[in-house]
Amino acid sequence: MERSKHGKRNGRQDGNTGRGRGKGRPSGSSREMNPRGMKNDNALQPTNASTSVMNVIRRKVEPETAKYFLEISNLFDNKEIDLEDRSTICANALEETKGKELELVTDGVISHTLQILVQGCELEQLCMFLRSCIQSFHVIAMDKFGSHVAEAALKTLATHLEDDTSRVIVEEILNKICKVIAADATNVMCSCYGSHVLRTLLCLCKGVPLDSLQDFHTTKRSAVLAERLSGGSSRPGDQNLTSFEHGFPDMFRTFVRQMLQNAKNDISTLLTEKNSSLVLQTVLKLSAGDDDELNHIISILLGYDEDDTAQKKDYSEQKNKIVALLEDTAYSHLLEVIIDVAPKELRSNMLIGTLKGALFAISSHHCGNYVVQALISSAKTADQMKQIWEELGPNIKELLELGKSGVVASILAACQRLETNRLEISEALSAAITSDSESSDSIVAHILFLENFLREKSYWKWPLGVKMSVLGCLMLQSIFQYPHQYIRQYVASLLALDNDQILQIAKDPGGSRVLEAFLCSSATTKRKFKVFAKLQGHYGEIAMNPSGSFLVEKCFTASNFSHKEAIVSELLAMQNELSRTRHAIHLLKKLDVDRYSRRPDQWRAAQTSKETTQREFQAEFGLNNSKPIGQSIEELLSPQSPAKKRKQKEKTDKTTTADASTTKPESFQKSTKGEKPAKAMSEGESSSKKPANMPFLNDSGKRKSPGFLSDKPIHKKQKHERPSEGRRFVGDGSSVGTPFVRNNVKQKQSIAELAALAGKDKLTAGEVRKLLKPEISAKGA
């Protein structure tokens, strides 16, 4: 047979098998009806007989057809196809599948070729191919080879959603596919191959971009843990309803409801089956933010068929059933997602009520403890957290001994986020990690090597060359965010470590982040200087590690002038070695080491200018209390990546809200200046004596310098003592109860000027004065 130029088949008379993929292998994967009911391993028979499943066995593809598609495959493998001819060849080859689509897409060799064809053809040819095999789409989706063709076809459809004309065609095809899949929902969901196709179909209906599909297909444990312990409380997928512009939301809702309706008799099986659990998790994530749909879906999953009953039911009767099912891995993962996305009322009334009294038992289980972590991280109020603490607080030591450190880490992060029970968890953790005979100086060392310590305990010694505990380091990072009066024993324990141990911490990926957290903590300047003194002479060595380079940068930002110069001198001595690493190149550029090597006087003048600008900015804008230690003026005003901007904006919004709603009485400020409490107050006592939701004012009574480790003594300046006409900054100490009010026109002008300055790499003292000139004039008026 001769090969046609555009892939059309001429009459084949020879017996050549062709070259390329599949040479010498029998081609067989075609299917036929199995009237005798032979077993099909790829299909799960439904428990209800209302939906019949095509039970099929494989048969050999016709030799002539197999040879044709092998030659088409060779054209692509050998790159013999011009770009302009590609779509024509794909269209002609797909025409050859008419009437035998099922047997071809389920062939182990030909399915690879069909994947290429559906990806390279025009939308019209793709839709013709899908219409021809639409009635068998559920069988194709559950096939080992056919599932790859089905998924490739769906992803190709997704590329045409931006065109309005194409959307109509795609919607029509998707509607038909959804009906076929929904009719056999149980089998498709429980199939390891069908589950993948179905999750892709759900994402396509919702409008998820192709590059984000993986986020909804599976859940990465590391990513979930990082989100929970970072203090973030946002629900996954909250932005779905607005960010997915090219989806079909009505089709998605209808499809989900049809699937659940057709599979309602098999819900108990779907909850505990691995593949179907993944599908249900995807459904929940994609529905996040749509509270009506979530109430309906969760009601069915927890055993209630009626609409809108999940938030109204007394779920105590389900307690024993849920606790028992939590021993199943698939169900525990599903319940985690339910907790994460459930509407606020449903989560409060159902989940906390259902699991109340059983939290410790669930936490002790190897699967259930992840559900408790999700519950802790989803707590929205201090009262909810106190309920959780009442059950788990007395069992911190037991949780650690059982290896459920993730639960303890989640409690630490949630207590900081909600500003409750911080003293209690701090003391409980220190008591659990040290024995009565041990000094409290060992607390930090034990937590850094948490799992290692819990195994060896009485004969434990500081190990050399051992990676530090990920969860232990995360715990310490949370701890060092607490107010200083709650964590004195942790600070003292860190300072008790010798120079070599501090250096080992600085070189460890997790340990270096612990030191960064300590730098930004509310500990005193004198205590932080002790840690810097132990690192001095090793900054070049530390910077050779990717994580250590961030620590060195943080040390530089937080130091005084002389210490900054010492750090740069150490880096200069190792400049050749550091310049060979990608991460250190950024550090050398950020610290301007090259300028220091060529013109040290110019470098010193630049640093002096930066420090002067930073002090003036802090003095005028009142940032002494709110700016985290170790964060420079450049970091506050320099251009940032979108991700960093979002995080910074959230932090700024929270602080601004607190500033606008709360003022601090002058008498309270005076009474707390220079005083140290005899002992740490409990969270309840302290909350009654400080403004709510203003964590940066926890230590506002303490005297702070613009940058710690200052060479010169700091002379206290009286700020903002001029008479004001209904306007002042919170914490300026000038008057009691004066509201923070701004004139709208002047506010817009100030915001515009700040926005213009934010784009500059450097902010000079003159620019600061120029910016503040209208403000000062207004005050004088």
Side-chain angles (χ1 to χ4, degrees), residues 6-77:
H6 295 295
K8 284 197 173 183
R9 191 163 73 174
N10 299 324
R12 283 179 180 267
Q13 302 298 332
D14 58 49
N16 294 334
T17 58
R19 298 173 297 157
R21 182 167 46 229
K23 180 179 180 181
R25 280 189 269 165
S27 190
S29 160
S30 194
R31 300 186 167 198
E32 61 182 4
M33 296 301 296
N34 181 19
R36 300 184 182 180
M38 295 180 66
K39 184 178 179 181
N40 175 21
D41 293 332
N42 287 330
L44 175 71
Q45 290 298 331
T47 55
N48 58 324
S50 59
T51 303
S52 61
V53 180
M54 185 181 293
N55 199 14
V56 292
I57 58 175
R58 300 181 185 277
R59 71 175 181 181
K60 197 172 183 178
V61 177
E62 293 179 0
E64 188 177 353
T65 303
K67 291 174 185 178
Y68 169 74
F69 280 101
L70 283 175
E71 289 202 2
I72 293 294
S73 175
N74 289 336
L75 288 176
F76 287 102
D77 289 345

Side-chain angles (χ1 to χ4, degrees), residues 431-553:
I433 213 69
T434 56
S435 62
D436 296 336
S437 60
E438 287 181 301
S439 168
S440 60
D441 289 348
S442 60
I443 296 175
V444 169
H446 289 173
I447 298 177
L448 285 172
F449 298 97
L450 186 61
E451 292 82 11
N452 185 281
F453 165 74
L454 291 173
R455 282 195 304 269
E456 300 177 3
K457 283 205 172 177
S458 59
Y459 56 91
W460 181 85
K461 292 182 180 180
W462 180 284
L464 298 175
V466 176
K467 185 179 179 181
M468 295 178 180
S469 167
V470 173
L471 281 172
C473 291
L474 288 169
M475 287 183 191
L476 288 173
Q477 290 177 58
S478 296
I479 282 287
F480 284 128
Q481 295 178 43
Y482 286 18
H484 181 54
Q485 63 266 28
Y486 300 153
I487 58 171
R488 287 195 177 92
Q489 66 270 38
Y490 294 89
V491 175
S493 176
L494 180 65
L495 298 178
L497 299 175
D498 60 37
N499 293 9
D500 292 337
Q501 291 171 333
I502 291 291
L503 180 59
Q504 185 177 342
I505 295 173
K507 291 181 178 180
D508 185 85
S512 64
R513 288 173 172 81
V514 172
L515 292 181
E516 287 185 51
F518 175 73
L519 266 182
C520 296
S521 72
S522 56
T524 61
T525 299
K526 183 178 178 181
R527 293 174 183 271
K528 292 174 181 176
F529 178 79
K530 292 181 179 180
V531 172
F532 282 103
K534 295 180 180 182
L535 292 176
Q536 202 156 8
H538 300 284
Y539 286 109
E541 186 181 350
I542 295 170
M544 290 296 293
N545 301 294
S547 56
S549 65
F550 290 99
L551 175 60
V552 173
E553 185 178 339

Side-chain angles (χ1 to χ4, degrees), residues 26 64 71 222 313 327 369 371 459 492 497 605 626 628 637 643 746:
E64 188 177 353
E71 289 202 2
S222 57
K313 279 282 184 180
E327 296 186 6
N369 77 91
V371 175
Y459 56 91
L497 299 175
S626 62
L637 295 180
K746 293 178 180 177

Side-chain angles (χ1 to χ4, degrees), residues 637-638 752-763 767-768 771:
L637 295 180
S638 63
E753 291 171 336
L754 280 174
L757 291 174
K760 296 189 176 182
D761 294 334
K762 295 181 180 179
L763 186 66
E767 288 173 326
V768 174
L771 172 63

Side-chain angles (χ1 to χ4, degrees), residues 178-437:
C178 289
K179 289 179 181 178
V180 171
I181 294 291
D184 194 20
T186 300
N187 282 318
V188 178
M189 292 170 74
C190 292
S191 165
C192 61
Y193 307 113
S195 174
H196 275 279
V197 176
L198 181 48
R199 280 175 272 163
T200 300
L201 178 59
L202 288 164
C203 291
L204 178 57
C205 292
K206 190 68 177 180
V208 177
L210 289 176
D211 55 0
S212 301
L213 285 179
Q214 200 61 28
D215 297 338
F216 294 90
H217 264 245
T218 56
T219 301
K220 293 183 179 179
R221 284 285 162 198
S222 57
V224 172
L225 180 64
E227 173 66 24
R228 289 174 181 169
L229 301 186
S230 65
S233 59
S234 61
R235 287 159 48 185
D238 273 350
Q239 304 302 320
N240 286 356
L241 298 180
T242 57
S243 62
F244 298 154
E245 302 174 358
H246 303 297
F248 305 97
D250 293 336
M251 183 195 301
F252 173 79
R253 295 188 191 97
T254 302
F255 181 35
V256 170
R257 289 192 174 234
Q258 286 178 347
M259 281 200 307
L260 294 177
Q261 176 64 28
N262 294 338
K264 64 181 180 180
N265 295 329
D266 304 308
I267 289 296
S268 58
T269 301
L270 299 179
L271 295 176
T272 56
E273 208 282 327
K274 176 183 176 181
N275 299 305
S276 57
S277 175
L278 289 171
V279 173
L280 295 174
Q281 291 173 47
T282 298
V283 167
L284 290 166
K285 291 175 187 176
L286 292 173
S287 302
D290 190 345
D291 289 356
D292 290 339
E293 285 303 304
L294 285 172
N295 283 327
H296 172 77
I297 295 167
I298 296 173
S299 296
I300 293 176
L301 297 183
L302 294 179
Y304 298 95
D305 293 333
E306 304 170 18
D307 288 346
D308 302 324
T309 55
Q311 74 276 22
K312 301 174 185 177
K313 279 282 184 180
D314 177 12
Y315 279 81
S316 56
E317 61 190 65
Q318 293 282 66
K319 181 175 180 177
N320 294 334
K321 177 183 176 182
I322 291 176
V323 172
L325 284 173
L326 281 175
E327 296 186 6
D328 181 85
T329 303
Y331 184 80
S332 67
H333 290 334
L334 178 61
L335 193 57
E336 278 185 71
V337 178
I338 290 177
I339 292 174
D340 284 337
V341 304
K344 181 179 178 180
E345 184 180 359
L346 189 152
R347 185 192 298 112
S348 300
N349 297 343
M350 180 192 73
L351 297 172
I352 292 181
T354 301
L355 303 180
K356 188 176 181 180
L359 290 182
F360 178 66
I362 299 171
S363 299
S364 305
H365 193 269
H366 72 281
C367 292
N369 77 91
Y370 293 106
V371 175
V372 176
Q373 291 181 43
L375 182 65
I376 295 169
S377 300
S378 68
K380 300 297 182 185
T381 65
D383 289 338
Q384 291 178 359
M385 192 60 222
K386 285 177 181 177
Q387 293 179 30
I388 295 171
W389 174 255
E390 287 174 2
E391 289 193 49
L392 298 181
N395 300 296
I396 296 296
K397 185 174 183 179
E398 289 79 0
L399 288 171
L400 291 175
E401 291 174 345
L402 289 169
K404 303 302 177 283
S405 308
V407 177
V408 179
S410 297
I411 294 174
L412 285 166
C415 287
Q416 169 61 16
R417 175 168 55 85
L418 299 172
E419 298 183 11
T420 184
N421 296 106
R422 289 178 289 187
L423 175 61
E424 291 84 349
I425 180 60
S426 175
E427 292 179 342
L429 179 59
S430 62
I433 213 69
T434 56
S435 62
D436 296 336
S437 60

